[in-house]
Amino acid sequence: MIGGTGFVGRKTIEQLNRSSGGKLEIRALVRDKTNLTKLPNVTPVIGSLPDVPDQLFTNKPNIVIHFGTKNRDTDGSGFGEINVTGTRNLMYALPKSTAGVIYGSSFSVYGQGNLLNANELTITNPETPLAVSRAKAETIILNEMEKRGRSAFVLRPRFIVGKDDAYTLPTLIKAYNHHLNVGSGSQLSTYIEVHDYAKIITRLTDVLFQKAAEGIYLQSPLNIGYRNPLPLKQLHSVFQKVFGYKRQFYVPVPKGLPSLLKKSGLKMIDKAATILELGAFSHSADVSLLEKMIGSDIIQKDPEEVILQLLSASDSNSFEAKQS
């Protein structure tokens, strides 16, 4: 497990342990042990990409789950060193015992524009530095594993939500509290709750082990999310139940406006245009390929009910405080 202390990584380790009854040997590459789940079958390996410690791997048949990515460029160094060079180094270091790789990519590789029911055959068009680095990492993984005759899944979720969600729900709740939203309100987004995401990863791990035992190896992108996308106005109906009624105003954004703004060449305006694209347009995924692989019980969940349960079971004020 690369990135075992992250938002998705911690939940995945816990789920892998739970589903195997504690019998699965898990090695986790972490910067420090502070936030690592304390389980007897989890071995921490201290380090970080782009360097790959030798002791990370085992000679037993294994699946590498790679979520060791840089998602925010707070230091201004860019995304290439960790997301691209780190991924390349990781692929080169894989032992022959590795049966497959599961990589946590993003729906953003399809682009920033209006995307309705995009499937895995939709042409990728990464438009931000982060998305470009993810797309390059996907290519490195898929090509390397195809060359080795081993499996690879690159996972493309749009919005991941959960109790520890620091960005998606807090940002949407902030807009709701300010009564002002970009887009018509009918824009569709695909969601997945982080525990369900961890269950999906666990099932895909089982799929790869089973296929390897049959001498079958797969290389494919996979969209991640619930089958039905959620319109923004419907999400606001959830917020109303939790935070009370607040009249909302919706400001439609012409499709060509963000591209026009980006031509200014100014970093601040470019960032604002990217935020407009993310919030104002539909970003919904066709997850039928995933459903064929892992079944329907997770995929068929109603995202409205999932988010309502999440907010109702959590301290809803904490979500608001994250963006106050």
Side-chain angles (χ1 to χ4, degrees):
M1 180 80 207
I2 317 299
T5 59
F7 179 44
V8 177
R10 281 179 295 150
K11 304 297 188 299
T12 300
I13 287 176
E14 292 167 3
Q15 182 59 37
L16 286 168
N17 182 73
R18 189 178 300 115
S19 66
S20 68
K23 297 178 181 179
L24 191 66
E25 180 185 347
I26 302 171
R27 297 190 183 190
L29 180 65
V30 294
R31 293 179 183 274
D32 60 68
K33 303 178 184 179
T34 306
N35 297 320
L36 187 64
T37 300
K38 294 181 179 180
L39 296 170
N41 60 324
V42 179
T43 302
V45 178
I46 304 302
S48 61
L49 298 180
D51 299 321
V52 182
D54 293 335
Q55 63 270 33
L56 178 62
F57 303 109
T58 174
N59 289 325
K60 300 177 183 177
N62 65 85
I63 303 293
V64 173
I65 302 174
H66 176 20
F67 276 77
T69 59
K70 180 179 181 180
N71 297 318
R72 295 172 67 84
D73 188 23
T74 54
D75 59 5
S77 63
F79 301 98
E81 183 180 16
I82 293 176
N83 294 356
V84 181
T85 303
T87 296
R88 184 179 291 111
N89 290 352
L90 181 64
M91 292 302 99
Y92 290 165
L94 293 180
K96 292 181 179 180
S97 55
T98 297
V101 174
I102 296 175
Y103 172 59
S105 186
S106 167
F107 188 86
S108 64
V109 298
Y110 291 121
Q112 298 293 112
N114 197 57
L115 291 158
L116 282 169
N117 208 34
N119 63 32
E120 289 82 1
L121 296 178
T122 299
I123 296 174
T124 57
N125 180 36
E127 298 179 61
T128 67
L130 174 55
V132 168
S133 71
R134 285 168 169 161
K136 288 181 179 179
E138 284 190 5
T139 300
I140 291 167
I141 292 168
L142 291 170
N143 288 348
E144 181 64 23
M145 299 312 283
E146 182 180 17
K147 185 168 62 177
R148 288 177 178 234
R150 294 294 182 264
S151 292
F153 289 144
V154 294
L155 311 184
R156 296 172 175 172
R158 173 64 287 181
F159 290 130
I160 308 168
V161 296
K163 183 179 179 181
D164 301 325
D165 174 12
Y167 306 108
T168 302
L169 278 181
T171 299
L172 291 166
I173 292 168
K174 180 179 180 181
Y176 178 77
N177 287 335
H178 287 177
H179 310 277
L180 186 63
N181 306 271
V182 295
S184 65
S186 62
Q187 63 265 40
L188 298 168
S189 297
T190 294
Y191 291 87
I192 191 69
E193 195 273 334
V194 68
H195 289 90
D196 283 337
Y197 192 10
K199 290 176 183 177
I200 289 170
I201 295 167
T202 299
R203 291 192 187 181
L204 290 174
T205 301
D206 291 339
V207 168
L208 293 188
F209 274 130
Q210 291 169 6
K211 293 296 183 182
E214 299 169 9
I216 299 172
Y217 298 97
L218 310 169
Q219 301 96 25
S220 177
L222 285 175
N223 289 337
I224 303 295
Y226 302 119
R227 182 192 299 146
N228 296 322
L230 189 63
L232 182 62
K233 286 183 179 179
Q234 198 168 331
L235 177 65
H236 287 164
S237 71
V238 176
F239 291 168
Q240 181 178 334
K241 294 174 184 177
V242 178
F243 304 109
Y245 173 76
K246 297 179 183 181
R247 185 181 180 186
Q248 297 299 302
F249 298 93
Y250 302 94
V251 182
V253 175
K255 291 183 180 180
L257 179 59
S259 296
L260 184 63
L261 292 174
K262 289 179 179 180
K263 291 180 180 179
S264 70
L266 299 175
K267 188 174 181 179
M268 185 175 295
I269 294 179
D270 184 80
K271 183 178 180 180
T274 299
I275 292 173
L276 279 179
E277 291 169 326
L278 186 62
F281 301 146
S282 289
H283 289 155
S284 66
D286 177 349
V287 296
S288 56
L289 181 57
L290 174 68
E291 190 169 1
K292 288 179 182 178
M293 291 192 177
I294 68 164
S296 302
D297 58 318
I298 297 174
I299 308 303
Q300 69 185 0
K301 287 186 179 182
D302 182 352
E304 183 176 358
E305 292 182 4
V306 169
I307 294 174
L308 178 59
Q309 291 174 6
L310 171 63
L311 292 175
S312 299
S314 306
D315 178 5
S316 57
N317 292 327
S318 67
F319 284 98
E320 296 179 295
K322 289 173 184 176
Q323 289 295 324
S324 61

